[in-house]
Amino acid sequence: MKISVYTLTSELHDERSVELLTQEFLASLDINFDLKGNDYSDFGSQPLCLIYVRTGGTEGIFKKLLPSLLEKSQRPFYLLTSGQSNSLAASMEILSYLQQRNLRGEILHGSKDYVTGRIEALLRVEEARRQLQGARLGIIGKPSDWLISSDADYKAVRERLGIELVNIPMQELLDTIVSNDIYGGLKTIIDRYQLKGFTLRCFDLLTSLKTTGCLALARLNGEGYVAGCEGDVPAMLSMMIIRSLTGLSGFQANPARINPETGELLFAHCTIPLNMVESYELDTHFESGIGVGVRGFMKAGPVTLFKVSGDLNRHFVAEGSLIKNTTEPNLCRTQQVIRLADKRQATYFLTQPIGNHHIVVPGHIGWLLEEVIK
């Protein structure tokens, strides 16, 4: 996918020389650019728009442009500079001007590898944000009674992420399951409401149907939907943000034990996306001893923990390593021992937790998650 590059150039500089430097610089980055020049008419229409500050003396030009640019896009301003012709100094003045007005921006400057890597990361983030825009997520039932801090601010979610939260009565799912299994009933609800995902008040299935939704959720997560447990809306939002970046929903789990001295945590839950595990076994659901629980075994290695609050005013990101999968009989069936890269972050769970559920995803993607939720 192409990246749009718009230019800022002082009239004092020789246009021919500047054009030659432009071609050389952009070619050196080895990225697929669409050079727009000083025509900003479609600014903001592409996944990633860069403003190439080619020379000094362009601060006043940008100041005049800014009102029209803000009408086209509310995304951060990314200022690309080669460092030639006082372009870095101009970029710093422009960024300072933006920050004085509480507008976001960043200067892209440094070695070829740094600039290219940063552009590729920003493109990935902007594509993730576009995936979130217009997504519909269902709340089937409501948060379980014990999730007293796990509701959401519907307006904030819509305005900041572009996600629409849709309330769906639990009885509607139960009526659908009458002529279907749980998996088929959930697929019907997904199609009916055109959902990208949902969170399910799943413990109601234990009392009404004497079974669980754990396997259905594991399958649906593996098929590309977000399928969350217990009606936990912030957990569902966290999973959706992760999916927009990685294509995985992540493992929704709660800490069973924490060692703040070593930074090791044991996470557990009775379902995990089937596309996240190397193998899995079926067991009973832990708390009830009935139905089906999923014991999944994920490959050891780097992981990231993530959670946003329901009003999006707080978030937690931590990177670490999955040390081992365990099979203790007195815990939810999928169990993971994770060691945080910074053991000091373990105290968060004891002093400032955002609810109990947190999301585990393979790989170190903390910096990408931070960018998406800025």
Side-chain angles (χ1 to χ4, degrees), residues 91-298:
S91 297
M92 293 170 64
E93 189 73 15
I94 290 170
L95 182 57
S96 178
Y97 180 78
L98 289 169
Q99 292 173 342
Q100 288 173 354
R101 284 147 185 80
N102 296 317
L103 297 172
R104 293 171 294 161
E106 179 182 342
I107 298 170
L108 305 178
H109 174 73
S111 69
K112 171 196 169 182
D113 289 344
Y114 173 80
V115 175
T116 300
R118 193 74 188 116
I119 290 172
E120 290 174 345
L122 291 173
L123 181 60
R124 186 174 174 185
V125 167
E126 293 304 319
E127 288 176 338
R129 288 193 179 112
R130 287 184 173 240
Q131 287 188 43
L132 296 175
Q133 285 292 323
R136 291 166 57 85
L137 298 178
I139 304 169
I140 304 176
K142 57 183 180 180
S144 295
D145 295 341
W146 50 88
L147 296 182
I148 60 176
S149 70
S150 298
D151 209 338
D153 183 331
Y154 286 44
K155 181 180 178 182
V157 170
R158 183 174 61 253
E159 290 180 350
R160 290 190 54 186
L161 296 178
I163 292 175
E164 181 181 357
L165 298 176
V166 182
N167 292 318
I168 302 168
M170 189 68 186
Q171 190 59 49
E172 183 173 347
L173 173 63
L174 296 176
D175 292 343
T176 304
I177 291 174
V178 168
S179 58
N180 238 317
D181 58 11
I182 294 174
Y183 169 83
L186 289 168
K187 281 294 291 288
T188 298
I189 294 294
I190 287 171
D191 293 340
R192 182 179 296 165
Y193 287 92
Q194 298 181 309
L195 303 177
K196 295 289 187 182
F198 62 87
T199 183
L200 171 65
R201 188 181 165 95
C202 46
F203 274 73
D204 283 14
L205 300 178
L206 293 171
T207 55
S208 58
L209 301 178
K210 308 303 180 186
T211 189
T212 63
C214 301
L215 182 56
L217 299 183
R219 289 180 61 188
L220 289 166
N221 274 313
E223 292 173 5
Y225 303 100
V226 164
C229 310
E230 301 176 39
D232 190 329
V233 183
M236 173 182 65
L237 293 173
S238 304
M239 294 168 76
M240 187 65 200
I241 292 169
I242 286 173
R243 176 164 284 283
S244 73
L245 280 169
T246 68
L248 298 171
S249 295
F251 170 42
Q252 176 184 338
N254 51 272
R257 288 196 293 272
I258 298 171
N259 187 333
E261 294 176 313
T262 64
E264 287 192 4
L265 306 94
L266 173 59
F267 284 90
H269 228 219
C270 278
T271 185
I272 186 171
L274 295 185
N275 61 342
M276 285 181 61
V277 297
E278 295 184 302
S279 63
Y280 67 93
E281 303 168 353
L282 300 182
D283 199 339
T284 56
H285 178 253
F286 167 60
E287 286 92 344
S288 64
I290 64 174
V292 176
V294 180
R295 180 181 292 112
F297 299 90
M298 200 167 95

Side-chain angles (χ1 to χ4, degrees), residues 8-54:
L8 287 178
T9 314
S10 168
E11 293 181 356
L12 296 178
H13 289 263
D14 178 68
E15 181 67 22
R16 187 173 179 180
S17 298
V18 171
E19 283 294 333
L20 181 60
L21 289 173
T22 296
Q23 296 300 328
E24 291 177 352
F25 176 61
L26 294 180
S28 73
L29 297 178
D30 196 26
I31 287 180
N32 191 17
F33 291 103
D34 184 9
L35 186 58
K36 299 287 187 176
N38 61 3
D39 180 4
Y40 286 77
S41 59
D42 64 349
F43 184 82
S45 63
Q46 300 299 321
L48 182 60
C49 296
L50 307 180
I51 298 177
Y52 179 20
V53 183
R54 303 198 294 182

Side-chain angles (χ1 to χ4, degrees), residues 255-364:
R257 288 196 293 272
I258 298 171
N259 187 333
E261 294 176 313
T262 64
E264 287 192 4
L265 306 94
L266 173 59
F267 284 90
H269 228 219
C270 278
T271 185
I272 186 171
L274 295 185
N275 61 342
M276 285 181 61
V277 297
E278 295 184 302
S279 63
Y280 67 93
E281 303 168 353
L282 300 182
D283 199 339
T284 56
H285 178 253
F286 167 60
E287 286 92 344
S288 64
I290 64 174
V292 176
V294 180
R295 180 181 292 112
F297 299 90
M298 200 167 95
K299 183 179 180 180
V303 296
T304 301
L305 306 179
F306 181 58
K307 183 71 178 292
V308 294
S309 63
D311 58 7
L312 303 179
N313 286 334
R314 292 183 60 210
H315 69 274
F316 174 76
V317 177
E319 295 181 342
S321 298
L322 171 60
I323 304 303
K324 61 181 177 179
N325 301 271
T326 61
T327 57
E328 297 184 28
N330 61 337
L331 289 175
C332 292
R333 304 315 184 191
T334 296
Q335 303 163 23
Q336 298 180 351
V337 177
I338 293 173
R339 181 182 299 141
L340 300 179
D342 182 354
K343 66 181 182 181
R344 294 172 298 181
Q345 288 187 288
T347 60
Y348 148 86
F349 294 94
L350 305 177
T351 59
Q352 298 175 307
I354 303 174
N356 68 67
H357 293 127
H358 286 67
I359 314 303
V360 182
V361 64
H364 285 165

